[in-house]
Amino acid sequence: MGKMKKYCYGFCLLISIAINILLSINLYVGGENNQRSLLSWSEKAAAEAEEVAAISCSGHGRAYVDGLVFEGQPVCECYDCYGGSDCSELSPGCAADAESGDPVFLEPFWMQHAADSAVVISGWHRMSYRYADYTTMSKELENYICKLHSLVGNAITEGRYIVFGIGSTQLLNAAVYALSSENSSSPSNVLASIPFYPMYKEQTMFFNSESFQFEGDTNSWQSNNWTNNMDVIEFVTSPNNPDGELKKSVLGGKTIYDHAYFWPHFTPITGPSDHDLMIFTLSKLTGHAGTRFGWAIIKDKDVYEKVASYISVADLGISKDTQLRVLKLLKVAVEGDGKPLFEFSYNKMRDRWDRLSTVFSKSTRFSIQQRHPLHCNFFNETRLPSPAYAWVKCELEEEDDCGAVLEAGKIIGRSGSRFSAKDRYTRLSLIKSQDDFELLLQRLNELVALENGSIDTM
Amino acid sequence: MGKMKKYCYGFCLLISIAINILLSINLYVGGENNQRSLLSWSEKAAAEAEEVAAISCSGHGRAYVDGLVFEGQPVCECYDCYGGSDCSELSPGCAADAESGDPVFLEPFWMQHAADSAVVISGWHRMSYRYADYTTMSKELENYICKLHSLVGNAITEGRYIVFGIGSTQLLNAAVYALSSENSSSPSNVLASIPFYPMYKEQTMFFNSESFQFEGDTNSWQSNNWTNNMDVIEFVTSPNNPDGELKKSVLGGKTIYDHAYFWPHFTPITGPSDHDLMIFTLSKLTGHAGTRFGWAIIKDKDVYEKVASYISVADLGISKDTQLRVLKLLKVAVEGDGKPLFEFSYNKMRDRWDRLSTVFSKSTRFSIQQRHPLHCNFFNETRLPSPAYAWVKCELEEEDDCGAVLEAGKIIGRSGSRFSAKDRYTRLSLIKSQDDFELLLQRLNELVALENGSIDTM
């Protein structure tokens, strides 16, 4: 009996010691594998971010660390048409808002790449106005921008100058300034081809400079032969906003190529753009419109210096925290030679266009722009473009205010006159969230069904 | 003997089991306390940030996650006058650069508050142009700005409008635009009092608007009685850059109060400012110049709307990641009713002024501005101001280019003419890093010693 007891003690002791060893190993190695033992000052912020990200908003909203707070806790911010504390309640008669070019369609991609795209900014990160090389632009970020263009094959960057701006928005006006006449008595004439992005006109008129003035449409200008000896600056938007067309310069003088949409998700990339002044934006590339970041690629040194001066005088450059975040995002964008990002984004856009085309094919009352297949060097395949916007035309003669017609069908678009075109046209955004797109499709289907219903009864 | 063995087994088993329990508790509770078990997608970025922060640069440099990379590893970026792979080598004859207003003197505060000031930004954070309330400004951030002003007692925010800008820089021009004449045939006249911050003139001239023009000094304008029926916009910088004076409007018309330096570290806060249009910047408050963020406090709704339009047309608002970071920083700033931040910053500035005053008290060749004690409501005590800059005057008649005199003594300042003043004056920055300040003091001591040496030999 005593011997048995002794064995038992010995056996139990052995097991207990074994457990001790296992637990110790777990504490040590488990910690190492997950980098647990390394973290100190960043843990609080990391835990806070993950806690907020884990709040469930039924897939129809999102809670943010800088968001609305109720009783000390962040609460769900619901997407359009959804409500309730967890955003689960759909408002029944809600209109589909397809007005803005908010590129939220890429949000799921970044949720799938959460670990690689998160960024931690320390409290003392880059407090100075300048980087170590005395510039206000991150050289690392510039390298990644060049790398991405080279992978995608959509722009030549070798031997070119790059300037960052607060979105492409700021660069549009900086470019006009840089290309404009230095002689106030004969200001430069700024033009674009109808239909065009309203910001060109708004900015040029708003800043009311003595050096340039907005002169409207290139085509009417050209037909009047006004270009002789006149100083013109032409905006060329390619692909075009609103209609997705790959545009070329009409006047052949000084040009600003707005390439916001020149990425494989929206258009086949037929070759690298190589113009004197090209402008790109993060917004329509990765979907981060809230991160105000764009860049210009410039051939001429003098023009480059003027654009850089503009940015410096306007606001002493781009926030260092924004530049750090953009760097992180572009590092993910170039992973796998860009295939994961652009396959995700292209598939999303193609799917939306397939479904949209099906609806419009049933309608004679409404039409959308024609799309023509082109060879995409990036995907090495001939593909249809899948533009960011549908450019809808109301075909019935009496329906010359297409925006009002759609609005009666609970669809909010942006009227043609905003693009200096006729109101017979309306732009519908296809790059918003999946919820927004689904509701848009539902409302379009309802509208087209009504049309076919009335045809049937005729 | 057998009994002893049995006791021993029993005792060892008890201890072993106790260790088991302790290890288990450690694994479970230890993990919880440090939030280890909660982290997933943010760990990689957090580990990366901490790893880079841990790189030693001898206190004379810093490595950054977006910084220079050598063989895949981030390397030290050395401060001025330091070199070598770990920034330990001081370049012997190096000049003290006191030119820029880079507010790095607050960096140690943020390193001391690392856990509270770090921020984690997820890849999908705020991709939209707008917040849930359809604005481009974070309401939470606006609340913290108001809270801080109320704690410090330096500005009235109740019943006022607030607009964010890309640094105060952008808001300066936005304010001129908002206050300017809408009649192009008689543009508004923009003025400031010498010595003044050069950006007022540079911006107004650079943007070359039909609505306003730069007209120079308020005093010469006033003495010529030019204000009658003239449309004027006056910049009032209080405390003034470069000389730290608490200025008031000279012309009494439309004014833009630039309050960049109106914080307890630079000046006693005698009461809340309550002007029509006041501009503040994060740069000189928390030291984050690299984070381009400022705000305007505006009484009149019409002016507010014009400033907001300017920001929107210029670049569609401020990056959401910047706003998130600023929110984090201001949350730390208001901790302990602002005492930790402002005691740190005031002590730093007072210490620098004490040492600087000692040097200049030994000189007849150089003088600095007079300082007068005032009651500071925030610290509830009468104190001397401790301005961001020393405004140095070369007293010898023949030394009318003070910048050149200092440069010969290996001190780089910003010449008086940059502030539309005489070159007999030079501005020296006192808000750069401790290394920069120590070197500045050393060079000043050398220069004054030379002067006293030559007096001794006379």
mmCIF file of all heavy atoms in Angstrom, chain A residues 16 20 34 40 42-44 50 80 102 116 121 123 128-129 134 208 211 284 288 291 321, chain B residues 16 20 34 40 42-44 50 80 102 116 119 123 128-129 134 208 211 284 288 291 321:
data_model
loop_
_atom_site.group_PDB
_atom_site.id
_atom_site.type_symbol
_atom_site.label_atom_id
_atom_site.label_comp_id
_atom_site.label_asym_id
_atom_site.label_seq_id
_atom_site.Cartn_x
_atom_site.Cartn_y
_atom_site.Cartn_z
ATOM 1 N N SER A 16 3.045 16.277 -13.357
ATOM 2 C CA SER A 16 2.952 17.686 -13.010
ATOM 3 C C SER A 16 4.133 18.473 -13.562
ATOM 4 O O SER A 16 3.972 19.568 -14.115
ATOM 5 C CB SER A 16 2.883 17.815 -11.489
ATOM 6 O OG SER A 16 2.760 19.163 -11.133
ATOM 7 N N ASN A 20 4.260 21.486 -16.247
ATOM 8 C CA ASN A 20 5.019 22.724 -16.026
ATOM 9 C C ASN A 20 5.847 23.087 -17.245
ATOM 10 O O ASN A 20 5.848 24.229 -17.711
ATOM 11 C CB ASN A 20 5.994 22.545 -14.847
ATOM 12 C CG ASN A 20 5.312 22.815 -13.519
ATOM 13 O OD1 ASN A 20 4.269 23.454 -13.480
ATOM 14 N ND2 ASN A 20 5.896 22.332 -12.441
ATOM 15 N N ASN A 34 3.656 34.750 -32.062
ATOM 16 C CA ASN A 34 2.664 35.788 -32.342
ATOM 17 C C ASN A 34 3.213 37.185 -32.077
ATOM 18 O O ASN A 34 2.469 38.130 -32.032
ATOM 19 C CB ASN A 34 1.425 35.564 -31.472
ATOM 20 C CG ASN A 34 0.821 34.212 -31.735
ATOM 21 O OD1 ASN A 34 0.710 33.791 -32.867
ATOM 22 N ND2 ASN A 34 0.459 33.515 -30.675
ATOM 23 N N SER A 40 4.749 46.681 -26.854
ATOM 24 C CA SER A 40 4.541 47.427 -25.615
ATOM 25 C C SER A 40 3.659 48.648 -25.886
ATOM 26 O O SER A 40 2.441 48.578 -25.744
ATOM 27 C CB SER A 40 5.872 47.823 -24.979
ATOM 28 O OG SER A 40 6.575 48.727 -25.806
ATOM 29 N N SER A 42 2.500 50.048 -28.495
ATOM 30 C CA SER A 42 1.511 50.044 -29.571
ATOM 31 C C SER A 42 0.278 49.203 -29.249
ATOM 32 O O SER A 42 -0.714 49.250 -29.966
ATOM 33 C CB SER A 42 2.153 49.539 -30.865
ATOM 34 O OG SER A 42 2.496 48.179 -30.727
ATOM 35 N N GLU A 43 0.357 48.418 -28.170
ATOM 36 C CA GLU A 43 -0.717 47.465 -27.887
ATOM 37 C C GLU A 43 -2.060 48.125 -27.613
ATOM 38 O O GLU A 43 -3.103 47.639 -28.065
ATOM 39 C CB GLU A 43 -0.356 46.594 -26.674
ATOM 40 C CG GLU A 43 0.603 45.493 -27.032
ATOM 41 C CD GLU A 43 0.479 44.303 -26.112
ATOM 42 O OE1 GLU A 43 -0.473 44.250 -25.297
ATOM 43 O OE2 GLU A 43 1.326 43.419 -26.205
ATOM 44 N N LYS A 44 -2.023 49.230 -26.882
ATOM 45 C CA LYS A 44 -3.280 49.883 -26.500
ATOM 46 C C LYS A 44 -4.058 50.332 -27.746
ATOM 47 O O LYS A 44 -5.257 50.066 -27.881
ATOM 48 C CB LYS A 44 -2.969 51.076 -25.599
ATOM 49 C CG LYS A 44 -4.192 51.714 -24.991
ATOM 50 C CD LYS A 44 -3.799 52.861 -24.052
ATOM 51 C CE LYS A 44 -5.023 53.699 -23.727
ATOM 52 N NZ LYS A 44 -4.680 54.846 -22.866
ATOM 53 N N GLU A 50 -8.872 47.086 -32.984
ATOM 54 C CA GLU A 50 -9.495 45.785 -33.249
ATOM 55 C C GLU A 50 -10.853 45.669 -32.576
ATOM 56 O O GLU A 50 -11.786 45.080 -33.134
ATOM 57 C CB GLU A 50 -8.568 44.656 -32.786
ATOM 58 C CG GLU A 50 -7.289 44.604 -33.625
ATOM 59 C CD GLU A 50 -6.720 43.203 -33.753
ATOM 60 O OE1 GLU A 50 -7.399 42.230 -33.377
ATOM 61 O OE2 GLU A 50 -5.577 43.104 -34.237
ATOM 62 N N ASP A 80 -26.319 54.406 -46.237
ATOM 63 C CA ASP A 80 -27.571 54.960 -46.724
ATOM 64 C C ASP A 80 -28.670 53.893 -46.728
ATOM 65 O O ASP A 80 -28.420 52.739 -47.119
ATOM 66 C CB ASP A 80 -27.402 55.457 -48.171
ATOM 67 C CG ASP A 80 -26.663 56.791 -48.203
ATOM 68 O OD1 ASP A 80 -26.533 57.423 -47.144
ATOM 69 O OD2 ASP A 80 -26.206 57.170 -49.288
ATOM 70 N N ASP A 102 -17.894 58.053 -54.840
ATOM 71 C CA ASP A 102 -17.246 57.480 -53.654
ATOM 72 C C ASP A 102 -16.856 56.020 -53.930
ATOM 73 O O ASP A 102 -17.724 55.162 -54.066
ATOM 74 C CB ASP A 102 -18.251 57.524 -52.494
ATOM 75 C CG ASP A 102 -17.681 58.219 -51.280
ATOM 76 O OD1 ASP A 102 -16.493 58.579 -51.299
ATOM 77 O OD2 ASP A 102 -18.424 58.400 -50.308
ATOM 78 N N ASP A 116 -1.807 43.240 -43.749
ATOM 79 C CA ASP A 116 -0.780 43.912 -44.538
ATOM 80 C C ASP A 116 -1.051 45.402 -44.742
ATOM 81 O O ASP A 116 -0.130 46.162 -45.030
ATOM 82 C CB ASP A 116 -0.646 43.245 -45.916
ATOM 83 C CG ASP A 116 0.053 41.907 -45.812
ATOM 84 O OD1 ASP A 116 0.795 41.717 -44.821
ATOM 85 O OD2 ASP A 116 -0.137 41.059 -46.692
ATOM 86 N N ILE A 121 0.990 54.448 -36.340
ATOM 87 C CA ILE A 121 1.719 55.724 -36.353
ATOM 88 C C ILE A 121 2.021 56.110 -34.915
ATOM 89 O O ILE A 121 1.106 56.295 -34.110
ATOM 90 C CB ILE A 121 0.886 56.824 -37.049
ATOM 91 C CG1 ILE A 121 0.471 56.361 -38.461
ATOM 92 C CG2 ILE A 121 1.674 58.126 -37.129
ATOM 93 C CD1 ILE A 121 -0.311 57.381 -39.242
ATOM 94 N N GLY A 123 3.295 58.486 -31.780
ATOM 95 C CA GLY A 123 3.020 59.884 -31.463
ATOM 96 C C GLY A 123 4.115 60.827 -31.933
ATOM 97 O O GLY A 123 3.868 62.006 -32.159
ATOM 98 N N SER A 128 8.625 66.765 -38.020
ATOM 99 C CA SER A 128 9.218 67.853 -38.799
ATOM 100 C C SER A 128 8.437 68.137 -40.078
ATOM 101 O O SER A 128 7.722 67.289 -40.587
ATOM 102 C CB SER A 128 10.663 67.484 -39.143
ATOM 103 O OG SER A 128 11.183 68.371 -40.103
ATOM 104 N N TYR A 129 8.613 69.361 -40.604
ATOM 105 C CA TYR A 129 8.044 69.699 -41.905
ATOM 106 C C TYR A 129 8.649 68.844 -43.008
ATOM 107 O O TYR A 129 8.024 68.623 -44.035
ATOM 108 C CB TYR A 129 8.354 71.171 -42.253
ATOM 109 C CG TYR A 129 7.566 72.195 -41.489
ATOM 110 C CD1 TYR A 129 8.130 72.909 -40.441
ATOM 111 C CD2 TYR A 129 6.248 72.464 -41.830
ATOM 112 C CE1 TYR A 129 7.405 73.867 -39.745
ATOM 113 C CE2 TYR A 129 5.517 73.424 -41.140
ATOM 114 C CZ TYR A 129 6.098 74.119 -40.099
ATOM 115 O OH TYR A 129 5.378 75.062 -39.415
ATOM 116 N N TYR A 134 15.426 66.753 -46.867
ATOM 117 C CA TYR A 134 14.987 68.159 -46.922
ATOM 118 C C TYR A 134 13.822 68.395 -47.878
ATOM 119 O O TYR A 134 13.506 69.526 -48.201
ATOM 120 C CB TYR A 134 16.154 69.107 -47.248
ATOM 121 C CG TYR A 134 17.214 69.075 -46.182
ATOM 122 C CD1 TYR A 134 18.348 68.277 -46.321
ATOM 123 C CD2 TYR A 134 17.060 69.815 -45.006
ATOM 124 C CE1 TYR A 134 19.301 68.217 -45.312
ATOM 125 C CE2 TYR A 134 18.005 69.760 -44.001
ATOM 126 C CZ TYR A 134 19.120 68.968 -44.157
ATOM 127 O OH TYR A 134 20.056 68.897 -43.160
ATOM 128 N N ASN A 208 -10.265 82.673 -59.569
ATOM 129 C CA ASN A 208 -10.375 84.008 -60.147
ATOM 130 C C ASN A 208 -9.015 84.669 -60.369
ATOM 131 O O ASN A 208 -8.776 85.802 -59.981
ATOM 132 C CB ASN A 208 -11.251 84.864 -59.198
ATOM 133 C CG ASN A 208 -11.699 86.167 -59.825
ATOM 134 O OD1 ASN A 208 -11.767 86.258 -61.058
ATOM 135 N ND2 ASN A 208 -11.983 87.163 -59.007
ATOM 136 N N SER A 211 -4.130 85.134 -64.216
ATOM 137 C CA SER A 211 -3.272 84.411 -65.158
ATOM 138 C C SER A 211 -4.033 83.461 -66.077
ATOM 139 O O SER A 211 -3.493 82.998 -67.074
ATOM 140 C CB SER A 211 -2.217 83.612 -64.395
ATOM 141 O OG SER A 211 -1.586 84.403 -63.429
ATOM 142 N N LYS A 284 -9.297 56.651 -56.954
ATOM 143 C CA LYS A 284 -9.877 55.727 -57.914
ATOM 144 C C LYS A 284 -8.962 54.528 -58.190
ATOM 145 O O LYS A 284 -9.312 53.642 -58.956
ATOM 146 C CB LYS A 284 -10.210 56.461 -59.214
ATOM 147 C CG LYS A 284 -11.169 57.646 -59.012
ATOM 148 C CD LYS A 284 -12.483 57.224 -58.363
ATOM 149 C CE LYS A 284 -13.522 58.337 -58.309
ATOM 150 N NZ LYS A 284 -13.241 59.387 -57.310
ATOM 151 N N HIS A 288 -9.381 54.760 -51.730
ATOM 152 C CA HIS A 288 -9.257 55.600 -50.535
ATOM 153 C C HIS A 288 -9.474 57.076 -50.870
ATOM 154 O O HIS A 288 -8.525 57.861 -50.914
ATOM 155 C CB HIS A 288 -7.902 55.378 -49.874
ATOM 156 C CG HIS A 288 -7.760 53.999 -49.309
ATOM 157 N ND1 HIS A 288 -7.400 52.925 -50.077
ATOM 158 C CD2 HIS A 288 -7.976 53.528 -48.057
ATOM 159 C CE1 HIS A 288 -7.390 51.827 -49.308
ATOM 160 N NE2 HIS A 288 -7.732 52.170 -48.096
ATOM 161 N N THR A 291 -8.593 59.539 -48.019
ATOM 162 C CA THR A 291 -7.166 59.864 -47.923
ATOM 163 C C THR A 291 -6.842 60.750 -49.103
ATOM 164 O O THR A 291 -6.739 60.282 -50.229
ATOM 165 C CB THR A 291 -6.321 58.569 -47.999
ATOM 166 O OG1 THR A 291 -6.666 57.757 -46.896
ATOM 167 C CG2 THR A 291 -4.836 58.873 -47.970
ATOM 168 N N ASP A 321 1.615 61.610 -42.181
ATOM 169 C CA ASP A 321 0.836 60.428 -41.808
ATOM 170 C C ASP A 321 0.065 59.893 -43.015
ATOM 171 O O ASP A 321 -0.061 58.683 -43.206
ATOM 172 C CB ASP A 321 -0.106 60.693 -40.636
ATOM 173 C CG ASP A 321 -0.316 62.166 -40.392
ATOM 174 O OD1 ASP A 321 -0.558 62.882 -41.390
ATOM 175 O OD2 ASP A 321 -0.248 62.600 -39.264
ATOM 176 N N SER B 16 4.905 21.558 -7.388
ATOM 177 C CA SER B 16 4.757 21.450 -8.837
ATOM 178 C C SER B 16 3.354 21.853 -9.279
ATOM 179 O O SER B 16 3.185 22.583 -10.256
ATOM 180 C CB SER B 16 5.069 20.011 -9.267
ATOM 181 O OG SER B 16 4.964 19.908 -10.666
ATOM 182 N N ASN B 20 2.105 24.836 -11.658
ATOM 183 C CA ASN B 20 1.142 24.642 -12.751
ATOM 184 C C ASN B 20 0.056 25.699 -12.723
ATOM 185 O O ASN B 20 -0.262 26.319 -13.739
ATOM 186 C CB ASN B 20 0.442 23.271 -12.611
ATOM 187 C CG ASN B 20 1.259 22.168 -13.252
ATOM 188 O OD1 ASN B 20 2.114 22.441 -14.090
ATOM 189 N ND2 ASN B 20 1.004 20.941 -12.835
ATOM 190 N N ASN B 34 -2.589 42.329 -20.836
ATOM 191 C CA ASN B 34 -1.839 42.996 -21.893
ATOM 192 C C ASN B 34 -2.587 42.978 -23.220
ATOM 193 O O ASN B 34 -2.014 43.316 -24.243
ATOM 194 C CB ASN B 34 -0.472 42.330 -22.067
ATOM 195 C CG ASN B 34 0.309 42.370 -20.774
ATOM 196 O OD1 ASN B 34 0.327 43.366 -20.077
ATOM 197 N ND2 ASN B 34 0.934 41.254 -20.444
ATOM 198 N N SER B 40 -5.143 40.520 -33.568
ATOM 199 C CA SER B 40 -4.921 39.652 -34.730
ATOM 200 C C SER B 40 -4.343 40.468 -35.881
ATOM 201 O O SER B 40 -3.121 40.540 -36.041
ATOM 202 C CB SER B 40 -6.210 38.928 -35.124
ATOM 203 O OG SER B 40 -7.183 39.841 -35.580
ATOM 204 N N SER B 42 -3.858 43.570 -36.417
ATOM 205 C CA SER B 42 -3.039 44.764 -36.170
ATOM 206 C C SER B 42 -1.636 44.430 -35.675
ATOM 207 O O SER B 42 -0.773 45.303 -35.608
ATOM 208 C CB SER B 42 -3.743 45.668 -35.159
ATOM 209 O OG SER B 42 -3.789 45.035 -33.899
ATOM 210 N N GLU B 43 -1.404 43.163 -35.329
ATOM 211 C CA GLU B 43 -0.126 42.803 -34.704
ATOM 212 C C GLU B 43 1.078 43.033 -35.595
ATOM 213 O O GLU B 43 2.129 43.492 -35.144
ATOM 214 C CB GLU B 43 -0.147 41.322 -34.277
ATOM 215 C CG GLU B 43 -0.857 41.119 -32.974
ATOM 216 C CD GLU B 43 -0.366 39.875 -32.232
ATOM 217 O OE1 GLU B 43 0.654 39.295 -32.623
ATOM 218 O OE2 GLU B 43 -1.016 39.514 -31.258
ATOM 219 N N LYS B 44 0.919 42.698 -36.868
ATOM 220 C CA LYS B 44 2.048 42.809 -37.778
ATOM 221 C C LYS B 44 2.542 44.260 -37.869
ATOM 222 O O LYS B 44 3.737 44.535 -37.746
ATOM 223 C CB LYS B 44 1.628 42.309 -39.168
ATOM 224 C CG LYS B 44 2.767 42.200 -40.145
ATOM 225 C CD LYS B 44 2.278 41.627 -41.475
ATOM 226 C CE LYS B 44 3.348 41.838 -42.538
ATOM 227 N NZ LYS B 44 2.918 41.359 -43.850
ATOM 228 N N GLU B 50 7.142 49.005 -33.661
ATOM 229 C CA GLU B 50 7.968 48.945 -32.449
ATOM 230 C C GLU B 50 9.407 48.551 -32.771
ATOM 231 O O GLU B 50 10.354 49.052 -32.155
ATOM 232 C CB GLU B 50 7.347 47.975 -31.451
ATOM 233 C CG GLU B 50 6.012 48.488 -30.923
ATOM 234 C CD GLU B 50 5.709 48.032 -29.500
ATOM 235 O OE1 GLU B 50 6.598 47.475 -28.840
ATOM 236 O OE2 GLU B 50 4.566 48.251 -29.063
ATOM 237 N N ASP B 80 20.748 67.106 -38.047
ATOM 238 C CA ASP B 80 21.793 67.996 -38.563
ATOM 239 C C ASP B 80 23.061 67.858 -37.725
ATOM 240 O O ASP B 80 22.993 67.784 -36.488
ATOM 241 C CB ASP B 80 21.320 69.455 -38.482
ATOM 242 C CG ASP B 80 20.332 69.784 -39.587
ATOM 243 O OD1 ASP B 80 20.223 68.995 -40.549
ATOM 244 O OD2 ASP B 80 19.668 70.823 -39.487
ATOM 245 N N ASP B 102 10.700 74.565 -37.220
ATOM 246 C CA ASP B 102 10.346 73.153 -37.035
ATOM 247 C C ASP B 102 10.213 72.849 -35.537
ATOM 248 O O ASP B 102 11.203 72.843 -34.809
ATOM 249 C CB ASP B 102 11.466 72.304 -37.645
ATOM 250 C CG ASP B 102 10.935 71.272 -38.611
ATOM 251 O OD1 ASP B 102 9.706 71.166 -38.772
ATOM 252 O OD2 ASP B 102 11.759 70.569 -39.215
ATOM 253 N N ASP B 116 -0.445 56.291 -25.287
ATOM 254 C CA ASP B 116 -1.694 57.048 -25.488
ATOM 255 C C ASP B 116 -1.750 57.766 -26.835
ATOM 256 O O ASP B 116 -2.833 58.103 -27.309
ATOM 257 C CB ASP B 116 -1.883 58.067 -24.362
ATOM 258 C CG ASP B 116 -2.284 57.393 -23.070
ATOM 259 O OD1 ASP B 116 -2.815 56.266 -23.149
ATOM 260 O OD2 ASP B 116 -2.058 57.969 -21.999
ATOM 261 N N VAL B 119 -1.483 55.524 -32.901
ATOM 262 C CA VAL B 119 -2.766 55.306 -33.562
ATOM 263 C C VAL B 119 -2.633 54.179 -34.584
ATOM 264 O O VAL B 119 -1.598 54.053 -35.243
ATOM 265 C CB VAL B 119 -3.284 56.628 -34.202
ATOM 266 C CG1 VAL B 119 -2.366 57.116 -35.290
ATOM 267 C CG2 VAL B 119 -4.679 56.460 -34.751
ATOM 268 N N GLY B 123 -6.763 49.219 -42.933
ATOM 269 C CA GLY B 123 -6.737 49.431 -44.380
ATOM 270 C C GLY B 123 -8.045 49.967 -44.933
ATOM 271 O O GLY B 123 -8.076 50.620 -45.969
ATOM 272 N N SER B 128 -14.456 56.643 -47.628
ATOM 273 C CA SER B 128 -15.353 57.606 -48.284
ATOM 274 C C SER B 128 -14.831 59.043 -48.197
ATOM 275 O O SER B 128 -14.020 59.371 -47.333
ATOM 276 C CB SER B 128 -16.729 57.518 -47.620
ATOM 277 O OG SER B 128 -17.548 58.580 -48.037
ATOM 278 N N TYR B 129 -15.299 59.876 -49.108
ATOM 279 C CA TYR B 129 -15.000 61.303 -49.037
ATOM 280 C C TYR B 129 -15.571 61.933 -47.769
ATOM 281 O O TYR B 129 -15.066 62.929 -47.284
ATOM 282 C CB TYR B 129 -15.636 62.043 -50.235
ATOM 283 C CG TYR B 129 -14.970 61.824 -51.564
ATOM 284 C CD1 TYR B 129 -15.522 60.987 -52.526
ATOM 285 C CD2 TYR B 129 -13.785 62.479 -51.874
ATOM 286 C CE1 TYR B 129 -14.912 60.806 -53.757
ATOM 287 C CE2 TYR B 129 -13.168 62.296 -53.106
ATOM 288 C CZ TYR B 129 -13.734 61.458 -54.048
ATOM 289 O OH TYR B 129 -13.134 61.278 -55.260
ATOM 290 N N TYR B 134 -22.288 63.475 -43.511
ATOM 291 C CA TYR B 134 -22.139 64.058 -44.847
ATOM 292 C C TYR B 134 -21.194 65.270 -44.892
ATOM 293 O O TYR B 134 -21.173 66.002 -45.873
ATOM 294 C CB TYR B 134 -23.509 64.434 -45.458
ATOM 295 C CG TYR B 134 -24.382 63.224 -45.660
ATOM 296 C CD1 TYR B 134 -25.340 62.869 -44.726
ATOM 297 C CD2 TYR B 134 -24.209 62.408 -46.783
ATOM 298 C CE1 TYR B 134 -26.116 61.737 -44.890
ATOM 299 C CE2 TYR B 134 -24.986 61.276 -46.953
ATOM 300 C CZ TYR B 134 -25.939 60.946 -46.016
ATOM 301 O OH TYR B 134 -26.691 59.816 -46.175
ATOM 302 N N ASN B 208 -2.235 85.462 -57.261
ATOM 303 C CA ASN B 208 -2.467 86.460 -58.308
ATOM 304 C C ASN B 208 -3.949 86.621 -58.654
ATOM 305 O O ASN B 208 -4.339 86.566 -59.819
ATOM 306 C CB ASN B 208 -1.647 86.034 -59.547
ATOM 307 C CG ASN B 208 -1.561 87.136 -60.588
ATOM 308 O OD1 ASN B 208 -1.677 88.307 -60.254
ATOM 309 N ND2 ASN B 208 -1.369 86.745 -61.844
ATOM 310 N N SER B 211 -9.302 89.366 -57.049
ATOM 311 C CA SER B 211 -10.119 89.831 -55.928
ATOM 312 C C SER B 211 -9.310 90.507 -54.822
ATOM 313 O O SER B 211 -9.881 91.173 -53.961
ATOM 314 C CB SER B 211 -10.879 88.657 -55.312
ATOM 315 O OG SER B 211 -11.524 87.893 -56.305
ATOM 316 N N LYS B 284 2.332 74.347 -33.988
ATOM 317 C CA LYS B 284 2.938 75.048 -32.868
ATOM 318 C C LYS B 284 2.252 74.731 -31.536
ATOM 319 O O LYS B 284 2.652 75.220 -30.488
ATOM 320 C CB LYS B 284 2.933 76.557 -33.134
ATOM 321 C CG LYS B 284 3.674 76.959 -34.419
ATOM 322 C CD LYS B 284 5.115 76.464 -34.452
ATOM 323 C CE LYS B 284 5.906 76.989 -35.637
ATOM 324 N NZ LYS B 284 5.556 76.372 -36.939
ATOM 325 N N HIS B 288 3.513 68.932 -34.126
ATOM 326 C CA HIS B 288 3.399 68.079 -35.315
ATOM 327 C C HIS B 288 3.258 68.916 -36.584
ATOM 328 O O HIS B 288 2.182 69.017 -37.173
ATOM 329 C CB HIS B 288 2.221 67.124 -35.161
ATOM 330 C CG HIS B 288 2.433 66.123 -34.065
ATOM 331 N ND1 HIS B 288 2.180 66.399 -32.752
ATOM 332 C CD2 HIS B 288 2.921 64.857 -34.098
ATOM 333 C CE1 HIS B 288 2.483 65.342 -32.007
ATOM 334 N NE2 HIS B 288 2.932 64.388 -32.793
ATOM 335 N N THR B 291 2.323 66.912 -39.747
ATOM 336 C CA THR B 291 0.889 66.646 -39.900
ATOM 337 C C THR B 291 0.244 67.959 -40.265
ATOM 338 O O THR B 291 0.076 68.827 -39.427
ATOM 339 C CB THR B 291 0.305 66.131 -38.568
ATOM 340 O OG1 THR B 291 0.954 64.923 -38.255
ATOM 341 C CG2 THR B 291 -1.189 65.902 -38.662
ATOM 342 N N ASP B 321 -7.192 60.162 -42.361
ATOM 343 C CA ASP B 321 -6.156 59.583 -41.500
ATOM 344 C C ASP B 321 -5.470 60.681 -40.688
ATOM 345 O O ASP B 321 -5.132 60.488 -39.522
ATOM 346 C CB ASP B 321 -5.138 58.775 -42.299
ATOM 347 C CG ASP B 321 -5.178 59.104 -43.774
ATOM 348 O OD1 ASP B 321 -5.244 60.296 -44.110
ATOM 349 O OD2 ASP B 321 -5.145 58.185 -44.580
#
